[in-house]
């Protein structure tokens, strides 16, 4: 059963936030519905995710509070609002209060995000949960999206699938990404190559798929280096195959931490999913990301007090961000390249495709604006942390 809480595991929803109705995150999503105007009651059957986008927002009688109340009355699962200057610019506190009181989740995401990706991934995820006829699909569907996992029942399912769940296991996600629409991609062949790679190395593996993702669970080998070697070898085999046939497709693999038994596998999947999301969000180099190696990125992404993070970003980078907006400059991008290249003007200029003297001038301007000296190690650390917070918040 696909629920509201599962939305944030979808790559297309990486930049979405929930702003109200968190107590309704277990609401089931049966389908999605995007109304064209305020008169949508006759098209709704219940348990749909309401997507409020341009058509209804631009209708003359649009009233966000009325839409939310109508959706709740129609037993819809929750709402996804497209926000921005051309979309919903502000959300009244009375709407937030109403949703909190009525267990009606409200998610927000930038209106610039392609809706087609969201529709496609949600559709796949719902179908994945609804029509799981294959045992491995059924097992991983339950692990990923299940609210309460019956350990005994899943132990039997793993045994039926020929997978030894005893010992330590990890979940992983491989996101198949392209700037263009993905068509005729041979997911089955990719999954078979993964199975072959594990079989050749005596590794246990169970696989499934939802949307543009392949998900799996595998037994950890006794030696951690052997486990890393097996994963890297398997990924390289896949990557070589894909690059030889699909020039514009990229594979990004996230791997959750290892846990003993079944009860923490959902957590391992969440960690794997977060690796994929963070790698795309921060544009990290590499293609295989282990949760425990993400270090400070995970620390900041899990930090609960978002206001504290925002205050830190504002106090550290705010003057640079404001200057860029007012003067149409890119000092922030220059600072990041400079710090991430160990204060090397040459390497920063090469990364930015900009003349070394231009980078030097920009860094001098940043120093003037902030009053900070970037030759100081603690200053560099403070600003690097602020840049990470800005990207993962």
């Amino acid at each position: 059963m696909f629920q509201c809480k599962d939305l944030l595991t979808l790559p297309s929803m990486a930049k979405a936030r929930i702003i109200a109705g968190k107590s309704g995150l277990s609401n089931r999503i049966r389908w999605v519905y995007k109304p064209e105007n305020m008169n949508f009651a006759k098209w709704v059957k219940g348990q749909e995710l309401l997507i409020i986008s341009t058509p209804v927002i631009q209708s003359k009688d649009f009233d966000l509070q009325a839409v939310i109340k109508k959706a709740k009355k129609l037993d819809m699962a929750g709402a996804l609002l497209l926000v921005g200057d051309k979309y919903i610019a502000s959300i009244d506190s009375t709407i937030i209060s109403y949703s909190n009181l009525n267990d009606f989740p409200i998610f927000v995401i930038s209106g610039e995000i392609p809706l087609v990706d969201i529709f496609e991934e949600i559709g796949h995820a719902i179908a994945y949960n609804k029509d799981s006829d294959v045992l491995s699909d059924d097992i991983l569907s339950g692990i990923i999206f299940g609210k309460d996992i019956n350990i005994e029942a899943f132990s039997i399912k793993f045994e039926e699938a020929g997978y030894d769940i005893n010992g330590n296991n990890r979940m992983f996600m491989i996101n198949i990404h392209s700037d263009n629409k993905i068509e005729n991609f041979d997911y089955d062949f990719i999954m078979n190559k993964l199975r072959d790679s594990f079989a050749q190395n005596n590794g246990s593996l169970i696989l499934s798929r939802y949307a543009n993702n392949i998900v799996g669970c595998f037994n950890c080998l006794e030696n951690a280096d052997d486990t890393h070697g097996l994963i890297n070898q398997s990924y390289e085999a896949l990557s070589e195959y894909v690059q030889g046939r699909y020039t514009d497709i990229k594979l990004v693999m996230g791997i959750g931490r290892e846990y003993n038994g079944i009860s923490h596998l959902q957590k391992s999947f969440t960690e794997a999913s977060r690796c994929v999301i963070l790698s795309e969000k921060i544009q990290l180099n590499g293609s295989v990301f282990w949760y425990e190696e993400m270090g400070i990125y995970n620390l900041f992404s899990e930090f609960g007090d978002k206001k504290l993070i925002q205050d830190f970003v504002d106090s550290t980078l705010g003057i640079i961000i404001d200057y860029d907006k007012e003067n149409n400059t890119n000092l922030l991008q220059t600072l990041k390249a400079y710090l991430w290249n160990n204060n090397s003007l040459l390497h920063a200029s090469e990364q930015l495709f900009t003349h070394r003297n231009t980078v030097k001038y920009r860094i001098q301007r940043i120093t003037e604006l902030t009053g900070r000296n970037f030759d100081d190690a603690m200053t560099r650390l403070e600003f690097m942390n602020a840049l990470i917070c800005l990207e993962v918040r």
Side-chain angles (χ1 to χ4, degrees):
M1 181 174 66
F2 191 72
Q3 299 172 313
C4 286
K5 68 182 177 69
D6 302 317
L7 286 170
L8 297 179
T9 68
L10 303 177
S12 62
M13 292 283 286
K15 296 183 179 180
R17 295 183 295 117
I18 179 166
I19 61 168
K22 291 183 179 179
S23 54
L25 284 175
S26 60
N27 293 351
R28 179 194 176 194
I29 298 177
R30 185 181 59 82
W31 201 241
V32 291
Y33 180 70
K34 181 169 71 73
E36 300 294 318
N37 52 54
M38 292 290 291
N39 301 314
F40 58 86
K42 64 181 179 179
W43 307 107
V44 173
K45 306 298 182 183
Q47 298 184 323
E48 294 92 345
L49 174 70
L50 178 68
I51 297 186
I52 302 179
S53 63
T54 306
V56 67
I57 293 172
Q58 293 180 346
S59 62
K60 293 180 180 179
D61 57 346
F62 176 68
D63 182 335
L64 180 57
Q65 186 168 355
V67 171
I68 297 298
K69 287 185 175 181
K70 181 181 288 190
K72 174 61 182 178
K73 186 177 180 180
L74 293 169
D75 192 33
M76 300 185 82
L80 174 63
L81 315 184
L82 271 63
V83 296
D85 294 338
K86 299 178 182 179
Y87 302 90
I88 296 175
S90 63
I91 301 168
D92 195 272
S93 60
T94 57
I95 297 174
I96 304 296
S97 298
Y98 175 84
S99 295
N100 286 332
L101 288 171
N102 289 275
D103 304 332
F104 188 81
I106 295 181
F107 299 86
V108 295
I109 196 168
S110 168
E112 305 305 320
I113 298 293
L115 269 183
V116 64
D117 293 341
I118 296 176
F119 273 100
E120 183 177 11
E121 287 192 0
I122 293 177
H124 277 300
I126 292 171
Y128 175 98
N129 282 268
K130 183 178 179 183
D131 300 321
S132 293
D133 295 325
V134 179
L135 184 56
S136 59
D137 287 350
D138 186 37
I139 292 171
L140 293 180
S141 169
I143 294 295
I144 295 169
F145 300 112
K147 183 178 181 182
D148 297 305
I149 295 176
N150 185 310
I151 303 299
E152 184 177 354
F154 272 89
S155 295
I156 294 171
K157 288 185 177 183
F158 273 109
E159 186 177 351
E160 290 176 352
Y163 183 94
D164 183 4
I165 194 60
N166 296 315
N168 291 343
N169 301 271
R170 289 180 184 260
M171 294 286 291
F172 68 84
M173 169 192 280
I174 300 176
N175 178 243
I176 292 88
H177 174 75
S178 173
D179 292 332
N180 303 309
K181 186 175 181 180
I182 298 177
E183 294 180 344
N184 302 320
F185 187 79
D186 196 343
Y187 289 93
D188 289 337
F189 187 88
I190 292 295
M191 292 166 71
N192 286 332
K193 284 192 73 69
L194 264 176
R195 292 188 184 99
D196 291 343
S197 180
F198 268 74
Q200 290 170 11
N201 291 275
N202 299 316
S204 297
L205 175 71
I206 186 167
L207 283 176
S208 188
R209 173 203 165 195
Y210 81 88
N212 293 334
N213 306 288
I214 294 171
V215 295
C217 178
F218 66 91
N219 283 141
C220 299
L221 303 178
E222 290 186 11
N223 187 305
D225 289 338
D226 291 341
T227 299
H228 277 64
L230 171 57
I231 291 298
N232 289 332
Q233 180 181 332
S234 299
Y235 176 84
E236 288 171 7
L238 289 183
S239 182
E240 182 180 351
Y241 169 79
V242 170
Q243 290 176 3
R245 290 160 177 78
Y246 307 94
T247 56
D248 61 340
I249 286 180
K250 178 183 177 183
L251 304 182
V252 177
M253 186 175 192
I255 305 167
R257 286 178 290 186
E258 65 179 77
Y259 294 96
N260 187 271
I262 297 172
S263 58
H264 296 296
L265 287 180
Q266 190 175 66
K267 184 176 182 181
S268 185
F269 171 77
T270 301
E271 292 166 352
S273 177
R274 181 174 286 136
C275 288
V276 172
I277 291 169
L278 282 175
S279 70
E280 295 178 355
K281 206 172 187 180
I282 309 172
Q283 296 182 336
L284 297 172
N285 293 324
S287 298
V288 180
F289 300 94
W290 299 75
Y291 183 84
E292 59 267 36
E293 295 176 2
M294 298 291 279
I296 199 167
Y297 293 104
N298 278 321
L299 175 64
F300 286 136
S301 70
E302 291 185 349
F303 198 69
D305 193 337
K306 299 301 181 184
K307 184 179 185 305
L308 189 60
I309 289 180
Q310 185 61 55
D311 290 345
F312 173 55
V313 170
D314 290 343
S315 64
T316 309
L317 302 174
I319 192 169
I320 303 173
I321 295 171
D322 291 342
Y323 185 90
D324 277 346
K325 288 180 180 177
E326 293 169 5
N327 298 277
N328 194 29
T329 53
N330 56 354
L331 296 186
L332 191 70
Q333 180 188 18
T334 301
L335 177 62
K336 180 179 179 181
Y338 181 67
L339 294 177
W340 257 254
N341 283 284
N342 298 314
N343 287 25
S344 168
L345 293 172
L346 175 61
H347 292 155
S349 64
E350 290 174 349
Q351 181 179 325
L352 296 168
F353 300 102
T354 304
H355 195 277
R356 181 180 181 276
N357 288 339
T358 302
V359 174
K360 182 179 180 180
Y361 167 77
R362 291 175 183 170
I363 296 300
Q364 290 174 342
R365 188 73 187 105
I366 293 170
T367 300
E368 293 170 1
L369 288 170
T370 61
R372 307 295 294 276
N373 179 5
F374 293 99
D375 290 332
D376 177 71
M378 292 305 295
T379 298
R380 292 198 301 274
L381 178 62
E382 179 183 349
F383 276 77
M384 290 175 78
N385 286 342
L387 286 163
I388 294 171
C389 285
L390 180 65
E391 293 170 329
V392 304
R393 64 184 176 176

